[in-house]
């Protein structure tokens, strides 16, 4: 082992706003600035006792990733106990549906759905 993953940092147009979106979806506490992870007024850090640390940093010319494009860089996986309820909740928070799949033979209940957060980063909700 050469190291441990400390956090995931997402570029975005508004760090506090995007941290608020993920806090509403995942829980946790927003801290800013956090000299151990991100420094400056344009940063926010979301800490949760049950998952990885997410950090957010303002980028003036942020360009959201394009889902399915060859340059797609990452996807956040989020496990949820009730995918249908989680679907409605993330839509209410401002997520945009991008696709679904992983069917279990029931097209009305896909095993996972992909969304874009308000800054365009993809995340996937998966049933537990």
């Amino acid at each position: 082992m050469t190291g441990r993953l400390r956090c995931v940092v997402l570029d975005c147009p508004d760090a506090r706003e995007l941290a608020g979106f993920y806090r509403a979806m995942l829980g946790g506490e927003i801290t800013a600035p956090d000299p151990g992870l991100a420094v400056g007024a344009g940063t926010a850090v979301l800490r949760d006792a049950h998952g990885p640390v997410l950090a957010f940093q303002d980028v003036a010319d942020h360009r959201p990733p394009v889902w399915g494009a060859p340059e797609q860089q990452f996807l956040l996986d989020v496990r949820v106990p009730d995918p249908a309820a989680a679907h409605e909740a993330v839509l209410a928070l401002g997520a945009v549906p991008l696709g679904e799949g992983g069917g279990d033979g029931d097209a009305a209940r896909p095993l996972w759905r992909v969304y874009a957060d308000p800054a365009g980063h993809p995340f996937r909700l998966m049933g537990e």
Side-chain angles (χ1 to χ4, degrees), residues 9-109:
V9 181
L10 301 176
D11 291 349
C12 56
D14 186 325
R16 296 291 293 181
E17 180 181 305
L18 194 57
F21 170 84
Y22 280 98
R23 181 181 184 277
M25 182 170 68
L26 303 172
E29 179 181 342
I30 297 172
T31 60
D34 185 328
L37 298 171
V39 179
T43 63
V45 175
L46 178 61
R47 295 180 179 277
D48 179 349
H50 305 290
V53 173
L54 292 176
F56 308 89
Q57 61 187 9
D58 290 348
V59 173
D61 62 348
H62 171 71
R63 290 187 321 249
V66 177
W67 176 245
E71 64 273 6
Q72 183 68 47
Q73 296 179 6
F74 74 95
L75 171 74
L76 298 174
D77 273 344
V78 178
R79 296 272 181 189
V80 295
D82 183 347
H87 170 78
E88 295 302 324
V90 299
L91 292 180
L93 293 171
V96 175
L98 297 176
E100 58 185 46
D104 59 358
D106 182 354
R109 296 181 326 161

